[in-house]
Amino acid sequence: MNHFELFDIKPDYALDLADLQQRYRKLQQAMHPDRFANASSRDKLLAVQRTSQLNDAYHTLREPLSRAEYMLTLRGVDMQHEQKTLQDPEFLMAQMEWRERVEELSPGDFAAIDTAFRDLEGETKLLQDKLEQQLAADANEEAADTIRKLKFMHKLGRELEALEDQ
């Protein structure tokens, strides 16, 4: 049973996260190992395994990037442990420009960091919209490339957060 089937929801990139959370809580209550305290050892072990699967499924589907990767995995495109690099010269140039921009930021310059965050969020939103369209159109290889781009953007976001924390 895949993650979408577990939650009885349509495999779609655009999920209602409140609905997902509600389904998760209901399933969590039904599957919780404490409900099997008086059961056999086998049933207790199964309850622990089901709860673990439920938690993994929820965390995967809750995050857009991991949800998209999971959808591609279901379609036969496995991106885990891959070493493939992007072949998009335009995006590679943009990466270099972002790297330079982040390197030039000073830890105390909150206005510049905030501007960089807003710019990054805007570009990330465009990529997420593009990814949603690609997944809906079953353009799997294009979606995989967009996921690679989004991973870079998320990494940049973490670097900006670290800079802000300094």
Side-chain angles (χ1 to χ4, degrees):
M1 175 180 299
N2 73 45
H3 296 347
F4 292 100
E5 292 168 344
L6 178 62
F7 287 101
D8 192 28
I9 54 178
K10 180 182 163 204
D12 195 3
Y13 179 71
L15 288 184
D16 179 346
L17 295 180
D19 180 54
L20 177 67
Q21 185 177 34
Q22 183 180 31
R23 290 171 186 263
Y24 170 69
R25 287 193 175 141
K26 283 182 183 176
L27 287 169
Q28 191 179 42
Q29 287 175 339
M31 294 181 180
H32 199 277
D34 288 349
R35 295 181 61 97
F36 298 86
N38 296 325
S40 69
S41 295
R42 181 180 180 276
D43 287 342
K44 288 178 187 177
L45 179 61
L46 282 173
V48 169
Q49 289 173 339
R50 286 185 192 124
T51 300
S52 176
Q53 178 189 16
L54 177 66
N55 290 335
D56 180 50
Y58 176 69
H59 291 292
T60 298
L61 295 182
R62 186 180 65 184
E63 297 300 323
L65 205 51
S66 62
R67 180 171 57 245
E69 275 191 77
Y70 183 73
M71 288 178 69
L72 287 182
T73 300
L74 293 176
R75 297 174 183 184
V77 180
D78 189 8
M79 295 184 67
Q80 291 191 356
H81 314 298
E82 74 170 8
Q83 299 297 320
K84 187 174 180 178
T85 58
L86 280 168
Q87 301 301 317
D88 182 343
E90 213 174 287
F91 186 75
L92 294 173
M93 185 61 75
Q95 277 183 321
M96 288 177 15
E97 290 170 5
W98 267 108
R99 285 269 159 243
E100 290 172 6
R101 183 174 178 183
V102 169
E103 286 175 13
E104 292 172 2
L105 290 172
S106 301
D109 191 353
F110 294 114
I113 293 171
D114 189 51
T115 300
F117 262 124
R118 281 196 309 275
D119 293 347
L120 184 66
E121 285 175 353
E123 289 186 35
T124 299
K125 174 75 170 110
L126 291 173
L127 285 171
Q128 287 173 329
D129 292 346
K130 184 177 183 179
L131 176 61
E132 185 174 354
Q133 293 168 359
Q134 291 165 334
L135 289 169
D138 289 329
N140 298 332
E141 291 303 319
E142 292 87 351
D145 278 343
T146 302
I147 288 171
R148 290 179 192 102
K149 292 174 183 179
L150 280 166
K151 284 182 177 183
F152 171 78
M153 303 305 266
H154 284 269
K155 184 178 177 187
L156 264 180
R158 287 189 302 274
E159 290 175 19
L160 286 172
E161 287 171 2
L163 191 61
E164 189 174 53
D165 289 343
Q166 290 178 2

